Amino acid sequence: MIYSWSLVYALQSLLLLYLTAAFSTLSEQSLRALPGPGDDFDIKTGKLLSPILRPRVPGTPGSIFVQNHFIDFFKTTLPKWNVELQNSTSKTPVTGDKEIPFVNLIITRDPPWITAGFSSRLTLVAHYDSKLTPAGFIGATDSAAPCAMIMHAARSIDAALTAKWEKMEADGLDLEFEDQQGVQILFLDGEEAFKVWTAQDSLYGAKSLAAEMEGTAYAAQSTFHNALSSISLFVLLDLLGAEKPTVPSYFKTTHWAYKKMATLENRLRSLSLFDSSSKSASKRDAQPFLTDLDKKDDRWLGGAIEDDHIPFMDRGVDVLHLIPTPFPRVWHNREDDGEHLHLATVADWSRLITAFVAEWMELEGYLNASHTASNHERDGDTAGSKQADGKSEL
């Protein structure tokens, strides 16, 4: 047993070394091929964003509607992605003895030759619930827009993943020793406090899912011993969508990944592929979102923001936290709605997240296929009528 655990940790260390050393770089052509969200981020009619712009308090019809929006999107638009639900209940300070349901969505796409436990997963995360108060609170930056950004990124890379993996199989590679990386999306419920933020009244869904992932073991000969250990990087998006965000690098252990994303941001800006900078009065004066590219080793003073990453980071998961400091002006008030989103900034975050995922997944040379697929005509409302609660896998 001691030897097997040592082997697991050694493999994880080698994986981290590989990721930091062998990270591919997207070409200018590939960056230009990345699609923007277009009308899908229209706050009234956009097929990705508008269905999320509603109150989404856990256990309410609005929450179930948004769950079904996610499910229908992946089942109809991205059918190669696997969708599962993780359910839990908890009492809250404002509901007495009543158990409130919390539903996390776990959406994955692994190489087709992989079985569970043998693939590491880049994990994109946002919470989809909204605060109970003030009444009618929507939470456009918190975190409807981040959820839509992740949906856009998944759609934008889907065809490229297919093309890459089909080519690998057609070329007859020894796939046991080839690319064993997948992508995972977590849409988490119950991030917000029902009354006042405390360790007990917050992060309901994240705490439940992290514990379940840690406690559910893979087969004995797997590369990873559970779903938690297969997370290669936990990329958490929160409070994104306001103009001119300032997002620092919070953790020294993942500053290398932060720098990769910051470098991509600089490249996208230099190619005039960022709407917010191209529309500014002076591109030279445009402020980067990721401001700590050149942060030095002696500037790590500790401290972080409490968010959905905490239960995962406490269990050893590496976290890249994309949350601005200071928070948006509209934070936790009724003005955090669609009308107060800065849509050029929302589109830029979507393009940057897509670029980061594409580079991580080594999709250089395959993004033209993804660009073509993303521009097909998209018909139908993705927010259907299926009931999401009570199911474990779809």
Side-chain angles (χ1 to χ4, degrees):
M1 178 64 70
I2 294 174
Y3 171 78
S4 63
W5 284 118
S6 299
L7 178 61
V8 167
Y9 292 126
L11 288 170
Q12 290 176 305
S13 298
L14 288 172
L15 173 65
L16 179 60
L17 180 63
Y18 166 79
L19 292 173
T20 56
F23 212 108
S24 66
T25 299
L26 291 181
S27 65
E28 178 180 324
Q29 180 183 8
S30 291
L31 290 177
R32 292 190 183 278
L34 297 175
D39 293 340
D40 284 346
F41 278 13
D42 185 282
I43 64 171
K44 300 296 185 184
T45 61
K47 292 182 179 179
L48 295 187
L49 178 58
S50 66
I52 316 174
L53 293 173
R54 65 186 65 234
R56 308 174 301 281
V57 177
T60 65
S63 175
I64 294 172
F65 183 94
V66 173
Q67 293 166 28
N68 288 325
H69 170 54
F70 296 146
I71 292 167
D72 289 351
F73 170 77
F74 281 94
K75 287 299 180 181
T76 59
T77 305
L78 303 176
K80 291 180 171 135
W81 295 68
N82 183 60
V83 181
E84 298 179 57
L85 306 180
Q86 188 261 347
N87 299 278
S88 63
T89 63
S90 179
K91 296 180 175 66
T92 79
V94 301
T95 55
D97 290 332
K98 180 181 179 181
E99 293 279 343
I100 300 299
F102 299 96
V103 182
N104 297 314
L105 289 92
I106 305 103
I107 304 159
T108 54
R109 184 158 188 212
D110 292 325
W113 57 85
I114 290 293
T115 56
F118 290 90
S119 175
S120 66
R121 289 168 175 164
L122 173 65
T123 302
L124 307 177
V125 189
H127 76 89
Y128 71 91
D129 63 301
S130 60
K131 276 176 57 63
L132 179 63
T133 59
F137 178 76
I138 289 176
T141 66
D142 192 14
S143 280
C147 289
M149 295 169 192
I150 291 172
M151 295 169 76
H152 170 76
R155 185 179 64 192
S156 299
I157 65 164
D158 184 63
L161 287 174
T162 299
K164 175 186 175 180
W165 290 336
E166 286 181 349
K167 184 177 187 302
M168 292 174 67
E169 290 183 302
D171 289 347
L173 299 177
D174 188 348
L175 298 176
E176 182 179 355
F177 298 100
E178 288 295 332
D179 193 342
Q180 311 288 0
Q181 297 186 75
V183 183
Q184 178 170 245
I185 293 167
L186 304 180
F187 289 136
L188 300 179
D189 200 2
E191 186 265 357
E192 300 285 7
F194 280 76
K195 188 174 183 180
V196 177
W197 187 285
T198 64
Q200 292 71 41
D201 187 18
S202 64
L203 311 183
Y204 293 92
K207 287 184 287 190
S208 173
L209 182 59
E212 184 170 307
M213 281 184 156
E214 183 181 42
T216 304
Y218 287 141
Q221 299 303 315
S222 299
T223 305
F224 303 97
H225 57 280
N226 57 38
L228 198 75
S229 65
S230 71
I231 296 174
S232 51
L233 184 66
F234 186 100
V235 184
L236 176 59
L237 286 63
D238 200 358
L239 300 182
L240 301 180
E243 187 177 14
K244 296 181 179 178
T246 299
V247 177
S249 180
Y250 292 98
F251 305 118
K252 187 174 182 179
T253 52
T254 56
H255 186 55
W256 66 272
Y258 178 98
K259 290 195 293 184
K260 295 293 185 183
M261 187 177 288
T263 299
L264 278 168
E265 179 189 358
N266 289 344
R267 293 184 64 205
L268 289 165
R269 288 186 183 277
S270 70
L271 294 172
S272 298
L273 296 175
F274 255 33
D275 292 345
S276 58
S277 59
S278 64
K279 294 177 182 178
S280 64
S282 171
K283 294 181 185 179
R284 185 174 299 175
D285 295 334
Q287 172 184 297
F289 298 165
L290 304 172
T291 53
D292 279 352
L293 176 60
D294 298 320
K295 188 170 184 175
K296 306 300 182 184
D297 284 347
D298 60 356
R299 292 177 55 201
W300 298 94
L301 302 177
I305 297 168
E306 290 187 315
D307 207 342
D308 275 323
H309 65 288
I310 295 294
F312 294 85
M313 190 169 67
D314 285 348
R315 291 169 167 84
V317 175
D318 284 327
V319 172
L320 178 60
H321 197 188
L322 302 177
I323 188 170
T325 301
F327 290 172
R329 177 187 59 81
V330 297
W331 178 65
H332 281 189
N333 68 62
R334 291 196 63 174
E335 289 187 328
D336 191 4
D337 55 20
E339 284 75 11
H340 288 86
L341 286 172
H342 190 256
L343 291 180
T345 298
V346 175
D348 289 345
W349 275 117
S350 301
R351 188 172 281 109
L352 179 56
I353 297 302
T354 301
F356 181 81
V357 177
E359 201 164 74
W360 185 285
M361 295 301 296
E362 306 274 354
L363 296 182
E364 174 60 32
Y366 299 99
L367 287 165
N368 283 333
S370 185
H371 179 70
T372 300
S374 70
N375 286 323
H376 68 77
E377 184 177 359
R378 306 180 188 104
D379 295 323
D381 185 359
T382 61
S385 59
K386 292 182 294 190
Q387 289 297 310
D389 51 334
K391 299 181 182 178
S392 61
E393 183 170 351
L394 302 167

